Amino acid sequence: MINLKIAQLVNYALKTALIEDADKVYITNQLLDALQLDDYTEPEATPEAELEDILGGILDYAVEKGIIEDSIVYRDLFDTKLMGILTPRPSAVQKKFFELYDKDPAAATDWYYKLSGDTDYIRRYRVAKDMKWTLDTDYGVMDITINLSKPEKDPKAIAAAKNAAQSSYPKCQLCKENEGYAGRVNHPARQNHRIIPITIDNKPWCMQYSPYVYYNEHCIVFDSGHNPMSINPGTFRKLLSFVEKFPHYFVGSNADLPIVGGSILTHDHFQGGGYTFAMAKAPIETEFAFDGFSDVKAGIVKWPMSVIRLSGKEIERICLLADKILAAWRGYTDEAAFVFAFSGDTPHNTITPIARKNGENYELDLVLRNNITTDEHPAGVYHPHAELHHIKKENIGLIEVMGLAVLPARLKVELAAVADGLLSGEDLYKSPLTAAHAEWAYEIAKNYSLTKENALDIIKLETGKVFEKCLEHAGVYARNDEGKKAFIRFLETVK
């Protein structure tokens, strides 16, 4: 059996052009070495198989022979090592990418994205398990996802990670030193990972794809050095410089403060890709003219959060106005609107910026953020409030800001249990799967005639509405006349 699986993996590499015919014997021997085999007979017939099945068979063999432990963490470490054997060297990947880029940037990213899946760096078979649906709102069609592609560690791996020697290499999972790294129980293997070096705003940065692809061609653009997240005038120039080089992609940055920022604040990075989010389609509902910037169209976007859109043909002019807005917002306080720039020396105001090319114009969306907390809202005033935490209590980061909910994997089971419990008449408060959702679920049941055919779809619909409320809670200015007046009051301070 193992000979067949090895042959199938080599044939997969040939079919996907990871290797060439001249590499076949060499690659086979490298795989034999990884599997601690001294003997091999090539099968007479090698039927095609899916990569997941090929690797699954090899991993089962490795567990049976005691090469690895039977744990998702150790299996992932080992199959990444195997795929690393098949993955072209960084120099070859970069050479091919830039040859294509010189002809067409989109052709370069298309090839690179396919490579990232073919090498199993993007585990397509896991991504396919994500639950996805949409929600029609007054703001546009939002995307709702329950992410199932990021595996959860089992107790054995968690214990091993706790006892493992601490390492500061690579410094984080975004550092360029991850390329080719073998990994460990508390750090993913990256032998099949390849990075593209790029220059944006005359600074050395890098590009890669997210292994979890929350949306089409979900890329990560990151500083080649390990420097912390920072929203500053240089951020806007780097974002628009990237869009200038890759006009078919958008790119944005998480904010640089806790609560309103992303999950990694220690390494400066952006996220982008080939997807048009609901926020990008949302229109300007209130135009606003800034003195001295008649060449830059500006206005408030019709969106649940507080968004200013700048649009124009000249990148530097857009950046100059964005600089002024950022500087004004950093120090802005409006007690009547419960906007406070500082608590003592602790700053609260920052921005989540997103850049794109729209026809002949460059666009820069500036989302105003504030991370102040109170006794009533200890997780954040402009953060999903406690009554929504049964669905989402995590930060509203860049991806959510743009209208795509990335909800926790636990909801797959919990939402199904809620639907089943409402149909069966069970007491939802008594089950640990449904207790947190019970009050919400019983309110839903009052408004619908639930059946076996529609119950889960209705629960998913209402889950999407909770996400919409999460965005409204994260908006600094309320979506009413008073909020609009307060928003304009701030814009009038920009000089």
Side-chain angles (χ1 to χ4, degrees):
M1 186 279 287
I2 189 59
N3 286 352
L4 174 61
K5 292 300 179 184
I6 291 171
Q8 287 176 326
L9 187 56
V10 172
N11 284 353
Y12 168 85
L14 287 166
K15 182 181 178 181
T16 53
L18 294 177
I19 66 173
E20 299 178 12
D21 285 334
D23 302 317
K24 184 176 178 180
V25 171
Y26 173 83
I27 293 299
T28 300
N29 286 331
Q30 293 295 303
L31 293 171
L32 293 175
D33 180 59
L35 289 162
Q36 302 175 17
L37 290 168
D38 296 321
D39 191 31
Y40 173 74
T41 301
E42 185 170 353
E44 292 183 7
T46 309
E48 279 193 21
E50 296 295 326
L51 180 61
E52 182 180 15
D53 295 332
I54 298 170
L55 292 174
I58 295 175
L59 291 170
D60 289 345
Y61 172 87
V63 169
E64 179 188 334
K65 297 300 180 182
I67 299 171
I68 62 170
E69 293 187 42
D70 193 10
S71 153
I72 184 65
V73 171
Y74 292 103
R75 290 171 79 98
D76 279 4
L77 287 170
F78 192 69
D79 70 5
T80 302
K81 177 180 181 178
L82 298 177
M83 293 306 297
I85 292 170
L86 310 180
T87 303
R89 293 286 182 93
S91 56
V93 172
Q94 292 174 26
K95 180 181 179 182
K96 177 71 171 180
F97 180 90
F98 287 111
E99 284 176 352
L100 291 169
Y101 178 88
D102 288 341
K103 298 174 183 176
D104 179 10
T109 54
D110 285 349
W111 173 83
Y112 180 42
Y113 187 61
K114 180 179 182 299
L115 175 78
S116 298
D118 289 344
T119 61
D120 210 36
Y121 168 71
I122 297 172
R123 296 175 184 260
R124 294 178 178 128
Y125 43 87
R126 286 186 183 166
V127 174
K129 296 176 183 177
D130 291 349
M131 292 177 61
K132 299 181 180 182
W133 66 97
T134 58
L135 176 73
D136 290 331
T137 75
D138 290 340
Y139 308 106
V141 180
M142 294 188 186
D143 297 293
I144 314 298
T145 68
I146 295 178
N147 181 256
L148 304 170
S149 57
K150 187 181 289 188
E152 296 185 13
K153 292 182 178 180
D154 54 76
K156 185 185 296 184
I158 292 172
K162 182 178 180 180
N163 297 325
Q166 295 300 303
S167 172
S168 59
Y169 181 87
K171 291 181 180 178
C172 77
Q173 291 187 28
L174 284 180
C175 285
K176 64 183 180 182
E177 288 79 14
N178 282 278
E179 188 175 42
Y181 186 63
R184 50 186 190 268
V185 289
N186 56 1
H187 193 104
R190 289 290 183 254
Q191 290 103 321
N192 57 349
H193 177 39
R194 297 295 178 263
I195 290 168
I196 302 297
I198 60 174
T199 300
I200 51 175
D201 191 35
N202 299 313
K203 306 293 191 304
W205 276 50
C206 304
M207 183 172 78
Q208 65 184 51
Y209 287 106
S210 166
Y212 308 114
V213 284
Y214 295 142
Y215 51 85
N216 185 51
E217 297 183 45
H218 179 181
C219 70
I220 301 173
V221 184
F222 58 99
D223 194 333
S224 64
H226 184 72
N227 298 306
M229 291 287 294
S230 176
I231 302 296
N232 56 57
T235 304
F236 307 137
R237 286 163 178 79
K238 285 192 280 284
L239 290 171
L240 287 165
S241 175
F242 178 85
V243 171
E244 188 177 29
K245 291 177 181 293
F246 299 94
H248 58 297
Y249 275 5
F250 84 90
V251 69
S253 175
N254 269 304
D256 55 355
L257 294 179
I259 298 176
V260 296
S263 58
I264 299 177
L265 294 175
T266 57
H267 196 130
D268 205 4
H269 68 285
F270 308 145
Q271 296 181 76
Y275 190 70
T276 303
F277 289 86
M279 192 177 84
K281 300 175 185 177
I284 287 178
E285 62 180 359
T286 304
E287 292 191 2
F288 191 90
F290 291 92
D291 290 343
F293 288 92
S294 59
D295 55 333
V296 179
K297 182 180 178 181
I300 297 171
V301 178
K302 184 182 178 181
W303 194 245
M305 298 182 69
S306 306
V307 187
I308 307 155
R309 178 168 296 157
L310 308 181
S311 176
K313 289 183 168 56
E314 294 187 28
I315 287 176
E316 185 56 27
R317 294 289 293 163
I318 295 172
C319 289
L320 284 173
L321 179 51
D323 294 350
K324 290 178 178 292
I325 293 170
L326 175 63
W329 181 244
R330 287 288 196 193
Y332 184 73
T333 290
D334 181 349
E335 293 186 15
F338 206 80
V339 173
F340 296 89
F342 293 92
S343 294
D345 294 329
T346 302
H348 295 307
N349 290 349
T350 185
I351 280 176
T352 299
I354 302 105
R356 68 184 73 86
K357 189 86 181 285
N358 189 349
E360 295 298 314
N361 289 334
Y362 291 96
E363 288 183 352
L364 186 64
D365 286 353
L366 304 176
V367 188
L368 304 182
R369 312 300 302 273
N370 180 289
N371 75 345
I372 196 168
T373 61
T374 63
D375 290 342
E376 182 183 2
H377 300 295
V381 173
Y382 305 109
H383 178 84
H385 293 172
E387 67 270 20
L388 307 181
H389 287 183
H390 65 104
I391 297 295
K392 184 170 178 64
K393 60 184 176 181
E394 299 81 12
N395 293 356
I396 299 297
L398 170 68
I399 296 172
E400 287 90 357
V401 163
M402 296 184 292
L404 190 156
V406 181
L407 301 179
R410 62 178 172 83
L411 289 179
K412 179 184 179 181
V413 175
E414 292 177 6
L415 296 183
V418 166
D420 291 343
L422 288 175
L423 289 172
S424 67
E426 295 175 20
D427 186 345
L428 299 183
Y429 287 103
K430 290 185 176 179
S431 169
L433 286 177
T434 58
H437 304 291
E439 182 178 353
W440 168 73
Y442 286 133
E443 285 300 313
I444 293 172
K446 293 177 183 178
N447 298 318
Y448 294 96
S449 296
L450 298 175
T451 67
K452 184 177 180 181
E453 288 73 28
N454 70 12
L456 184 57
D457 286 338
I458 288 170
I459 295 300
K460 287 164 65 178
L461 171 68
E462 293 297 323
T463 298
K465 291 180 181 179
V466 171
F467 172 65
E468 184 181 356
K469 288 181 183 177
C470 288
L471 293 188
E472 290 173 347
H473 286 186
V476 173
Y477 294 114
R479 294 287 305 171
N480 56 33
D481 289 342
E482 287 303 310
K484 183 177 179 180
K485 289 177 184 177
F487 199 161
I488 292 174
R489 206 157 55 232
F490 160 65
L491 295 178
E492 289 173 342
T493 70
V494 177
K495 303 295 184 183

